[in-house]
Amino acid sequence: MTDILSAAGADPAVVPEFPMARAAGCPFDPPPGLRSLQEEGPIARVRLWDGSTPWVVTRYAEQRALMADPRVSADITRPGYPAPAPLPKGSFASFILMDDPEHHRLRRMVQAPFTVKRVEAMRPAVQKIVDDLIDDLLAGPRPVDLVEAFALPVPSLVICELLGVPYADHDFFQDNSKTIIRRDAPPEERAAAGGRLTAYLDDLVGRKLAEPADDLLSQLAGRVTAGELTREGAAQMGVLLLIAGHETTANMIALGTLALLQNPDQLALLRDGDDPKLVAGAVEELLRYLNITHSGRRRVALEDIEIAGQVIRAGEGMIMANDIANRDPGAFPEPDDLDIRRDARRHVAFGFGVHQCLGQPLARMELQVVYSTLYRRVPTLRLATDLDAIPFKHDGQVYGVYELPVTW
Ligand code: HEM
């Protein structure tokens, strides 16, 4: 192992490939290869699709330390950045892939609607969306695909309302988002999908410039008028928020439901308890346990950084594998158990440091409403197929299920 980790770099032939596969029959657990690396030490070399050998950071404490370290950059344009797949030419750059001060300047422009207070004010509207969708579900045919009928519409309706994007266009933006975050899609296909979505948002920003409304895209259009943002920049922020706003939460709804159906004791606790704190705790535990952003947060060192007895050299890439960090026994006892009564709030499913998820108050609230409503209103909810027939998103940057056939 010492040879593999030598400061001079690594021999790609002996370094394990990343990403690693999940074990058959264990759809909720990180790849066993990541577990082995974690057992060996906090950081290790891995090999990427392009033959490069960045570091993977597997333990919780080291990951939090590095994510909060100003010598660590999220700038995708820096040499050494460990890209998860070939970068499409002219790929859209959003502030999630930038460093401060520009990252901070742009993030501030869109943070107001995502504060806990503003999000709490939206809770009754989200509850109505959830109730209406469950009414439709119960009135419709069975079995039904829960992804299509419920998990995708909930966050899509919410983010559309918040941004000022017409929900009627959901097929268009959902299809393109799906392509953009598919790791195995050819770069030209991902670039084309990014281009279509940016053009769509650019057109919407144009309409908000002409006729502002009470929504976030109109506020961004206002920034364009004030000369603080280019129109292209406004459109790119719209793309980031639209994708981040529905893909992630939708996967948590569907995969979370599947995990609960596979853990009936935990589902019963959640369904039969009426304490909002229990529901909030269940949301945190499912975020920790499932960690849907499973391809790791990507970073590059700006300076030499000493950590865990190793030196990460300036210009070397790092992958913060937050899925395995959330299963670090040093941070969470019995980490592979789903236990909705544990205190999981310190998880890194939303990342850590300056890029920590902007939408986390919204995601939490949506998931609390969903998890406290769906299983109570549909108490006999069950899978309408075998677990091994369910298509999992192994190829996506966000983990989840493509379909979840359910009945009741
Ligand atoms: C369960 C749902 C969600 C999960 C698990 C999740 C996870 C994450 C993670 C891990 C990051 C950090 C990225 C990094 O450090 O490289 C992040 C950033 C971000 N998330 Fe989320 N997210 C969720 C929901 C949302 C929602 C609903 C929105 C709303 C628009 C959103 C908007 C963002 C934005 C804008 C960033 C970039 C923040 C920055 O770079 O400063 N997310 N998210």
Side-chain angles (χ1 to χ4, degrees):
M1 200 66 194
T2 322
D3 285 351
I4 297 175
L5 296 179
S6 73
D11 175 359
V14 293
V15 170
E17 191 176 347
F18 189 89
M20 296 154 182
R22 288 176 193 251
C26 300
F28 309 121
D29 292 342
L34 274 181
R35 167 69 79 208
S36 307
L37 290 180
Q38 185 185 62
E39 280 164 5
E40 283 172 33
I43 69 171
R45 293 275 193 181
V46 284
R47 191 177 73 253
L48 289 191
W49 56 275
D50 58 357
S52 64
T53 53
W55 299 91
V56 63
V57 184
T58 53
R59 289 198 193 158
Y60 179 86
E62 284 75 9
Q63 205 173 99
R64 294 237 306 193
L66 286 168
M67 297 281 270
D69 192 322
R71 295 170 298 173
V72 169
S73 165
D75 182 349
I76 194 169
T77 64
R78 281 186 185 275
Y81 181 93
L87 291 178
K89 280 202 181 66
S91 53
F92 61 87
S94 47
F95 62 84
I96 194 168
L97 303 170
M98 293 178 189
D99 291 336
D100 288 347
E102 188 60 2
H103 157 263
H104 182 67
R105 188 182 81 86
L106 296 173
R107 179 172 164 131
R108 272 190 47 200
M109 287 185 189
V110 286
Q111 71 190 11
F114 299 102
T115 57
V116 173
K117 201 172 159 199
R118 290 278 295 274
V119 162
E120 275 311 309
M122 290 168 66
R123 191 181 281 266
V126 173
Q127 183 70 58
K128 176 151 176 28
I129 288 174
V130 168
D131 285 336
D132 290 352
L133 284 166
I134 297 176
D135 287 344
D136 294 349
L137 200 71
L138 291 172
R142 316 169 236 186
V144 66
D145 174 15
L146 195 78
V147 174
E148 196 69 37
F150 185 71
L152 259 177
V154 172
S156 295
L157 281 159
V158 173
I159 198 69
C160 280
E161 178 68 25
L162 202 148
L163 278 175
V165 168
Y167 181 72
D169 297 339
H170 67 107
D171 281 342
F172 168 80
F173 65 73
Q174 282 166 359
D175 282 351
N176 284 297
S177 308
K178 230 184 260 171
T179 308
I180 291 172
I181 62 169
R182 259 186 53 204
R183 212 162 29 196
D184 65 347
E188 332 57 85
E189 241 178 67
R190 282 185 287 128
R196 282 191 294 273
L197 215 45
T198 310
Y200 170 74
L201 263 304
D202 180 77
D203 178 60
L204 271 180
V205 170
R207 284 195 252 159
K208 307 283 178 187
L209 278 168
E211 257 180 77
D214 184 16
D215 54 47
L216 191 49
L217 278 185
S218 298
Q219 285 166 27
L220 286 176
R223 302 274 184 176
V224 175
T225 310
E228 296 167 23
L229 192 63
T230 61
R231 181 160 157 176
E232 196 194 0
Q236 284 170 348
M237 274 213 249
V239 172
L240 169 65
L241 295 168
L242 188 58
I243 297 179
H246 78 273
E247 273 290 346
T248 46
T249 311
N251 283 304
M252 271 306 297
I253 293 174
L255 195 64
T257 298
L258 179 60
L260 288 165
L261 290 173
Q262 295 300 114
N263 288 270
D265 56 325
Q266 299 294 306
L267 177 56
L269 269 175
L270 181 59
R271 191 183 45 222
D272 303 337
D274 58 0
D275 180 1
K277 279 202 191 118
L278 179 85
V279 176
V283 168
E284 300 310 313
E285 171 64 349
L286 282 156
L287 284 162
R288 178 197 75 83
Y289 181 74
L290 298 171
N291 201 106
I292 54 164
T293 55
H294 66 147
S295 47
R297 320 314 326 139
R298 309 289 167 131
R299 297 294 191 267
V300 57
L302 295 173
E303 296 173 24
D304 290 359
I305 301 171
E306 249 192 275
I307 190 148
Q310 300 288 338
V311 179
I312 300 176
R313 298 277 174 214
E316 286 185 338
M318 281 167 263
I319 300 173
M320 312 292 177
N322 44 348
D323 46 358
I324 197 69
N326 274 332
R327 299 289 188 98
D328 182 342
F332 302 99
E334 306 299 336
D336 296 332
D337 291 350
L338 175 68
D339 174 4
I340 65 165
R341 282 174 298 187
R342 82 161 82 219
D343 182 359
R345 280 173 298 178
R346 294 171 307 129
H347 65 72
V348 282
F350 286 126
F352 191 67
V354 291
H355 288 280
Q356 202 176 24
C357 181
L358 174 81
Q360 56 184 291
L362 178 61
R364 284 196 162 102
M365 184 271 280
E366 290 180 64
L367 293 173
Q368 288 164 9
V369 172
V370 165
Y371 293 161
S372 64
T373 310
L374 179 62
Y375 319 121
R376 277 182 209 167
R377 288 205 51 202
V378 196
T380 57
L381 187 77
R382 61 182 191 278
L383 274 187
T385 183
D386 291 336
L387 184 64
D388 54 17
I390 292 171
F392 288 93
K393 294 184 174 175
H394 294 291
D395 52 354
Q397 288 188 46
V398 182
Y399 189 60
V401 290
Y402 284 109
E403 279 168 33
L404 191 65
V406 292
T407 192
W408 51 90

